[in-house]
Amino acid sequence: MESANSTASTPETAATSNFIRTIVEEDLKNGKHKTVVTRFPPEPNGYLHIGHAKSICLNFGLARDFGGRCHLRFDDTNPAKEEVEYAEAIKDNVRWLGFDWGEHLHYASDYFEQLYQWAEQLIRQGDAYVEDLSAEEIRAYRGTLTEPGKESPCRSRTSEDNLALFRRMRAGEFADGAKVLRAKIDMASPNLNLRDPVMYRILHAPHPHAGDKWCIYPMYDFAHGQSDSIEGITHSICTLEFADHRPLYKWFLERLGIYQPHQYEFARLNLTYTVMSKRKLLQLVQDGDVSGWDDPRMPTLSGLRKRGYTPESVRNFCEQIGVGKSDSWIDMSILEEAVRNDLNVRAPRAMAVLRPLKVVIDNYPEGLTEEFEAANHPNDPAMGTRKVPFAREVYIERDDFLEEPPKGFFRLSPGREVRLRYAYIVKCESVVKDAAGNIVEVRCSYDPASRGGSAPDGRKIKGTIHWVSARHAVKAEVRLYDRLFTVPNPDKGGQDFKAFINQDSLRIVEDACLEPALAKAASGSSYQFERQGYFHVGSTSADGTPVFNRTATLRDSWGSGGKKE
RNA sequence: UGGGGCGUCGCCAAGCGGUAAGGCACCGGAUUUUGAUUCCGGCAUUCCCAGGUUCAAAUCCUGGCGCCCCAGCCA
């Protein structure tokens, strides 16, 4: 069987309009900008998740659609939390998603010297001062949401003194936390971000990218806007919680007299049945609730990838959910639907029995093996066919047999007929049970005239079920993944989100029975196990058999419309 | 109760003064050797509420109500 994912794919969802796209269009049309330059600015302090994908698709998508460019810039201003491993994983994820930053891989830390010079400029202009107050004192002086803050005694220092002190900060003469550099703006501003925000703090720590050159590091607010300015960003796009920072973003650029990009904010993605904050994801990793940042249950790009999500499906998802400013909760089912849509057209079909129940066909010749031709994709003949061996004993799914079927059940049950896909129509003649009354085997007869599964006399066979020849079955491990949390919003109500972890989010089936063609499944490819779902081939286990990770179930309108196995 | 942001179908979301796109969900019906897919068809006389302006408002004005974010030397 050919390895999957080489042929057709779903068409890319056309970019729908959104307010940012509209702004870019207008800026280009009226000549405000000649080209569009955006950037995706992650902090390398964790893995990227599906929420970041929304931002990546927005920023890189804009650049792609309007013939501009998008930079990948690490916002690495806090060495205490950042690691090279994260930066590498981020680059890998962005590439996997299908985007290319070309020559434009940047680091805020590469601008540290320039930033430092700009800080000195602000000090000379009387726009910044060195603060001696402790962190606690600064907080106390800041005031509250409804009361103005108090000015620090250090606020009146001369430029000369400030400059000397700041240089001594850089020279490493002070301990961590002993001093900070602050912007001199307005301690009574209703916007707390303007109450003399901290620009630099002392941190005697090596930096993952800049090495040990620095012991003072700029804050986000003093680095981000200037980085945008240096890179000639035209549209600086960030999430809503930074809207309050926009006046500060502008203030620094104005005082510095440098090119001023404009900042636009959009609503971050919230997805049901998962958590999206890096802090919480890190906690799951550290507490061992998942196997790592790339656990297939994680909403991280690495996790989704391991789960079997395709870049196309993630991009389509991001396009579908749109970009707005209202707090939105996207249902997990929309993400799941996005992979199904993509995998439906590209994944070859195969048969696999997860919970085997033996069926013996009494009137079928004992030693005989027949081979049936099965389509690799029922709607795409170009994907070819494969041979599936059939013999007297086959396994079917336990769920496909019910001794006392409810109304509307049209699989196998005593006295009833069902079609074994591509093989024969069989009829259940009897049931064999063990001493405890458990069904251990089903006895059937087959209709030799139904070779291939057709009903020559035109009789209607409602049910068609999948099967695997017992003698030819290949054993494999199958991992059934489900949602990580049991409630739509694990963060709600201030309770510990971990109380809502789904204890059943991973079930490992050790002895699934696969049709023989699956033994050669290539790692990284995806298949649809007919009637069950999409499965992604993970790393091969020690004994050479593949491990299959369930990406998503198939939709199932039988029963409560819920999920099956 | 200071500042910022948001309220259009169950969930997202277009719309920007001319009489409510689209997706997902849902409900019918057709095809089907996957209860899958595909395919047709249905699904907001109404845009948080109340007033007002206008020939005409989801779109403009006024006043309410509700939700989210901000008091890190995090980003």
Side-chain angles (χ1 to χ4, degrees):
Chain A
M1 184 181 286
E2 68 182 45
S3 73
N5 304 350
S6 55
T7 54
S9 69
T10 41
E12 204 85 2
T13 302
T16 51
S17 180
N18 61 59
F19 76 101
I20 292 177
R21 189 166 278 270
T22 302
I23 289 166
V24 171
E25 262 163 4
E26 279 167 11
D27 288 349
L28 253 22
K29 195 170 65 189
N30 66 28
K32 179 175 174 187
H33 294 294
K34 300 252 186 311
T35 181
V36 55
V37 183
T38 55
R39 102 268 92 116
F40 172 61
E43 182 189 16
N45 68 340
Y47 277 60
L48 259 26
H49 53 62
I50 185 71
H52 293 108
K54 178 180 181 181
S55 174
I56 293 168
C57 291
L58 212 210
N59 281 295
F60 279 94
L62 247 16
R64 174 196 60 209
D65 296 345
F66 293 99
R69 64 175 199 266
C70 180
H71 302 179
L72 173 61
R73 181 174 73 234
F74 289 108
D75 237 332
D76 54 351
T77 56
N78 185 2
K81 294 187 175 176
E82 297 152 10
E83 294 175 23
V84 173
E85 179 210 337
Y86 292 135
E88 290 307 311
I90 288 169
K91 285 192 276 184
D92 200 52
N93 287 160
V94 175
R95 267 188 238 109
W96 174 77
L97 239 198
F99 296 105
D100 181 11
W101 51 85
E103 302 298 290
H104 294 281
L105 172 63
H106 301 296
Y107 292 80
S109 56
D110 281 339
Y111 308 139
F112 280 176
E113 183 58 38
Q114 173 65 266
L115 257 11
Y116 175 85
Q117 294 305 327
W118 276 330
E120 285 207 351
Q121 179 187 337
L122 292 189
I123 292 171
R124 276 183 249 107
Q125 288 171 193
D127 286 325
Y129 62 97
V130 173
E131 175 66 88
D132 299 341
L133 258 30
S134 68
E136 301 72 55
E137 290 168 319
I138 287 176
R139 191 184 323 126
Y141 274 61
R142 188 152 29 222
T144 68
L145 294 178
T146 51
E147 306 158 51
K150 271 193 316 194
E151 295 188 351
S152 161
C154 300
R155 212 175 194 261
S156 51
R157 272 212 255 255
T158 64
S159 296
E160 293 67 35
D161 288 349
N162 282 134
L163 204 50
L165 249 13
F166 187 49
R167 287 174 178 171
R168 290 175 61 197
M169 282 169 64
R170 176 179 187 170
E173 291 186 31
F174 305 110
D176 286 3
K179 297 192 182 326
V180 292
L181 182 70
R182 291 230 257 174
K184 191 189 288 186
I185 306 180
D186 177 9
M187 287 308 291
S189 172
N191 181 343
L192 304 215
N193 292 118
L194 298 179
R195 319 246 262 227
D196 291 10
V198 172
M199 295 164 57
Y200 269 91
R201 75 286 220 184
I202 299 171
L203 231 44
H204 290 269
H207 186 282
H209 182 71
D212 51 14
K213 284 205 279 291
W214 299 88
C215 63
I216 57 173
Y217 292 96
M219 298 290 289
Y220 163 85
D221 286 306
F222 192 66
H224 197 87
Q226 291 93 308
S227 298
D228 284 345
S229 182
I230 290 169
E231 296 178 17
I233 301 301
T234 56
H235 303 264
S236 179
I237 302 165
C238 60
T239 45
L240 247 29
E241 65 271 27
F242 291 98
D244 288 338
H245 293 244
R246 192 177 346 120
L248 182 53
Y249 180 106
K250 295 177 67 172
W251 190 88
F252 281 129
L253 298 177
E254 268 167 21
R255 294 291 159 141
L256 256 12
I258 58 179
Y259 165 67
Q260 235 184 95
H262 197 292
Q263 173 183 303
Y264 301 92
E265 309 90 15
F266 70 98
R268 65 190 313 157
L269 170 67
N270 294 298
L271 242 199
T272 57
Y273 297 99
T274 190
V275 291
M276 211 70 100
S277 90
K278 282 197 226 172
R279 201 209 96 229
K280 293 195 177 77
L281 294 175
L282 176 63
Q283 195 183 335
L284 292 171
V285 172
Q286 289 178 335
D287 295 354
D289 297 301
V290 293
S291 63
W293 284 97
D294 64 348
D295 186 292
R297 292 166 291 182
M298 293 281 270
T300 53
L301 295 182
S302 298
L304 291 168
R305 178 180 186 176
K306 240 179 146 176
R307 177 82 170 250
Y309 275 73
T310 57
E312 289 79 0
S313 66
V314 174
R315 273 186 255 130
N316 275 153
F317 168 77
C318 291
E319 213 49 71
Q320 278 171 28
I321 59 176
V323 176
K325 298 189 78 161
S326 54
D327 296 312
S328 60
W329 279 88
I330 305 294
D331 201 281
M332 182 61 90
S333 63
I334 291 180
L335 215 209
E336 294 167 343
E337 193 58 21
V339 237
R340 288 193 192 104
N341 274 329
D342 190 36
L343 259 17
N344 176 49
V345 301
R346 70 208 304 178
R349 315 283 121 132
M351 293 196 286
V353 174
L354 268 24
R355 294 176 64 220
L357 172 63
K358 184 182 278 185
V359 168
V360 179
I361 301 156
D362 289 313
N363 60 339
Y364 191 85
E366 197 109 10
L368 182 63
T369 293
E370 284 184 89
E371 284 197 317
F372 291 106
E373 190 94 352
N376 288 334
H377 192 119
N379 307 325
D380 184 7
M383 288 179 77
T385 62
R386 68 188 186 283
K387 301 270 200 235
V388 187
F390 180 83
R392 190 165 182 264
E393 297 191 354
V394 301
Y395 290 121
I396 64 168
E397 208 67 57
R398 279 207 107 83
D399 286 357
D400 286 337
F401 178 81
L402 239 34
E403 199 171 14
E404 289 170 24
K407 198 175 55 170
F409 182 80
F410 45 83
R411 278 111 92 155
L412 196 62
S413 51
R416 295 219 252 178
E417 282 191 318
V418 77
R419 171 163 39 234
L420 296 181
R421 171 148 243 225
Y422 296 122
Y424 288 107
I425 293 169
V426 297
K427 181 179 183 182
C428 172
E429 303 291 354
S430 62
V431 178
V432 180
K433 297 181 181 177
D434 63 12
N438 301 307
I439 298 171
V440 294
E441 191 177 296
V442 172
R443 292 273 169 171
C444 289
S445 60
Y446 83 113
D447 175 0
S450 65
R451 217 191 118 83
S454 59
D457 59 355
R459 94 191 99 122
K460 277 274 176 275
I461 302 296
K462 293 250 300 250
T464 297
I465 63 175
H466 57 96
W467 53 274
V468 171
S469 164
R471 201 165 66 226
H472 307 273
V474 173
K475 298 284 185 188
E477 177 176 322
V478 175
R479 298 180 183 166
L480 304 179
Y481 292 103
D482 203 348
R483 297 170 179 183
L484 234 199
F485 292 90
T486 56
V487 295
N489 182 359
D491 287 325
K492 197 148 62 194
Q495 285 192 62
D496 177 21
F497 74 103
K498 295 210 352 180
F500 303 109
I501 287 182
N502 178 7
Q503 298 303 330
D504 209 22
S505 61
L506 168 58
R507 261 186 301 156
I508 297 181
V509 176
E510 304 281 3
D511 289 304
C513 296
L514 314 181
E515 63 165 274
L518 247 16
K520 301 193 293 280
S523 173
S525 58
S526 288
Y527 290 88
Q528 184 199 95
F529 289 174
E530 294 207 34
R531 306 206 307 130
Q532 314 217 65
Y534 296 97
F535 293 78
H536 189 244
V537 187
S539 52
T540 302
S541 62
D543 61 355
T545 56
V547 172
F548 287 84
N549 295 308
R550 183 172 68 192
T551 308
T553 60
L554 247 34
R555 292 178 67 177
D556 183 7
S557 54
W558 165 244
S560 53
K563 300 161 295 179
K564 33 189 293 178
E565 278 303 280

